Amino acid sequence: MPVATPEQYAAMLDTAKTGAFAFPAVNVSSSQTLNAALQGFAEAGSDGIIQVTTGGSDYLAGHTVKNRAGGAIAFAKYAEEVAKAYDVTVALHTDHCPKNALDDFLLPLVAASEARVAEGGLPYFQSHMWDGSAVPLPENLEIARELLPRLSAMNVVLEVEIGVVGGEEDGVSHEINDQLYTTLDDAVATVEALGLGDQGRYLTALTFGNVHGVYKPGGVSLRPELLAEIQQGLQAKYGVGEKPLDLVFHGGSGSSAEEIAEAVRNGVIKMNIDTDTQYAFTRALADYLFKNYDGVLKIDGEVGNKKQYDPRAWGKVTESAMAARVAVAAKQLGSAGKSVSA
């Protein structure tokens, strides 16, 4: 199926919320990892979200140049074409844009989509994340308020981070401390600034102890019950239905199945998957190289085995391993077998 239209993406998010499940949002940085994500979603029969960061877009553009906006557009155009061959629908998203990358990443992409829409086309991306976690909350929300109407005019969804995710991802890093927990006051400030859908749709990454990267179970203290407390507090304050915020789960590697399930019960409809799929991809490559070292290397005067060192040979292995991890995420989050194209 083609990449989701804005209307299809809205239907995906609505279905996840009413059905109490979440879509995996898989970070990619190459055509190989993009293909792996598509394969994984198709194997699970799940719609999904495929996303790129500033660093991923830099790499897509060519690692010797700095052309992240161009890399992101190249990703979107490539995805639009290859996704047609799969029987699931995927949405495209840009992940973690800090303040210092607005001018060379997010804003050029918004402008490019505005020009495309003006010509009768669809936006390149169905949602964009503004990551204001490193600036004071009032500034974070002020920038979000500037972005929301521009995105809403194209039916593009904004994602904001309210709170701090610990660890590091593509140069955005934070300490692991008590700032990892969003408060109800923070959420109220967000609603006062951005509304509850009346000013445009947005996703909210509230933090409840999340940490990017790898940590062993027990290494951080997740409090997914905090999400329920905040949702209930907003419901009571504004007199709206339950779970008024559409939530995103960042930094979930190492989380227990119950922690993930509780977060989904409390309104998470999008969960970012990056570290685990990176490891699945590279672990399969290491396994292949160790098992076929005499074929991929010219050693002891031999010539190796072209069929083994052909990048397509090991690429199929690594892509399938990453795809399997994507399919596991879809099953765990409850999106397996759910597609707007079905």
Side-chain angles (χ1 to χ4, degrees):
M1 298 291 292
V3 165
T5 64
E7 293 75 19
Q8 287 175 316
Y9 187 42
M12 286 169 57
L13 299 178
D14 290 341
T15 301
K17 189 157 192 176
T18 57
F21 68 90
F23 286 109
V26 179
N27 285 73
V28 303
S29 56
S30 65
S31 60
Q32 280 189 308
T33 49
L34 168 57
N35 289 338
L38 288 168
Q39 179 184 337
F41 285 127
E43 289 176 354
S46 170
D47 289 343
I49 301 164
I50 302 179
Q51 56 192 29
V52 288
T53 59
T54 54
S57 297
D58 282 337
Y59 190 77
L60 280 156
H63 73 276
T64 61
V65 297
K66 292 293 184 182
N67 182 25
R68 53 185 48 163
I73 290 174
F75 152 78
K77 289 182 175 181
Y78 181 80
E80 287 174 348
E81 188 59 39
V82 296
K84 295 175 183 177
Y86 295 84
D87 59 0
V88 293
T89 300
V90 293
L92 307 183
H93 173 79
T94 60
D95 190 27
H96 284 291
C97 177
K99 184 179 179 180
N100 63 6
L102 284 170
D103 289 339
D104 66 357
F105 186 60
L106 182 52
L107 293 179
L109 293 178
V110 173
S113 283
E114 287 172 333
R116 202 184 199 201
V117 170
E119 294 172 352
L122 294 173
Y124 285 107
F125 292 88
Q126 287 68 60
S127 54
H128 290 287
M129 181 185 181
W130 146 241
D131 182 355
S133 60
V135 301
L137 184 59
E139 183 180 4
N140 180 354
L141 294 175
E142 181 58 34
I143 292 173
R145 286 187 58 169
E146 294 171 1
L147 289 168
L148 187 58
R150 290 183 67 180
L151 297 182
S152 181
M154 299 184 287
N155 292 322
V156 172
V157 178
L158 174 67
E159 181 181 327
V160 294
E161 185 168 308
I162 306 301
V164 173
V165 175
E168 188 273 337
E169 182 172 14
D170 273 5
V172 180
S173 61
H174 298 289
E175 295 180 3
I176 300 174
N177 54 35
D178 58 4
Q179 293 184 346
L180 304 185
Y181 303 93
T182 306
T183 67
L184 177 58
D185 287 343
D186 295 335
V188 168
T190 301
V191 172
E192 291 295 316
L194 305 180
L196 281 170
D198 51 298
Q199 300 177 40
R201 189 164 193 170
Y202 63 94
L203 304 171
T204 310
L206 301 180
T207 58
F208 50 101
N210 322 51
V211 175
H212 285 132
V214 181
Y215 57 89
K216 295 180 180 179
V220 299
S221 178
L222 285 178
R223 291 184 53 215
E225 70 277 7
L226 179 63
L227 302 180
E229 295 170 10
I230 290 173
Q231 295 273 41
Q232 291 162 7
L234 294 176
Q235 181 183 8
K237 181 175 178 63
Y238 294 101
V240 293
E242 64 175 356
K243 295 184 285 190
L245 293 181
D246 296 335
L247 300 182
V248 183
F249 187 168
H250 287 242
S253 297
S255 302
S256 70
E258 177 51 37
E259 288 169 333
I260 293 172
E262 185 173 359
V264 172
R265 286 195 300 270
N266 293 335
V268 166
I269 58 173
K270 172 180 181 279
M271 180 172 176
N272 288 10
I273 311 290
D274 186 16
T275 301
D276 289 353
T277 50
Q278 287 179 343
Y279 182 76
F281 185 93
T282 303
R283 176 66 181 80
L285 175 58
D287 184 67
Y288 178 91
L289 294 177
F290 280 125
K291 289 180 177 177
N292 298 285
Y293 73 94
D294 54 346
V296 298
L297 297 176
K298 297 180 179 181
I299 57 176
D300 298 331
E302 296 297 330
V303 296
N305 184 333
K306 185 179 185 301
K307 290 184 178 181
Q308 292 180 335
Y309 60 71
D310 184 332
R312 291 171 294 181
W314 53 261
K316 293 175 183 177
V317 174
T318 55
E319 288 176 30
S320 292
M322 178 173 164
R325 182 62 185 84
V326 172
V328 166
K331 293 174 183 176
Q332 186 174 39
L333 294 173
S335 67
K338 297 182 175 69
S339 175
V340 296
S341 60

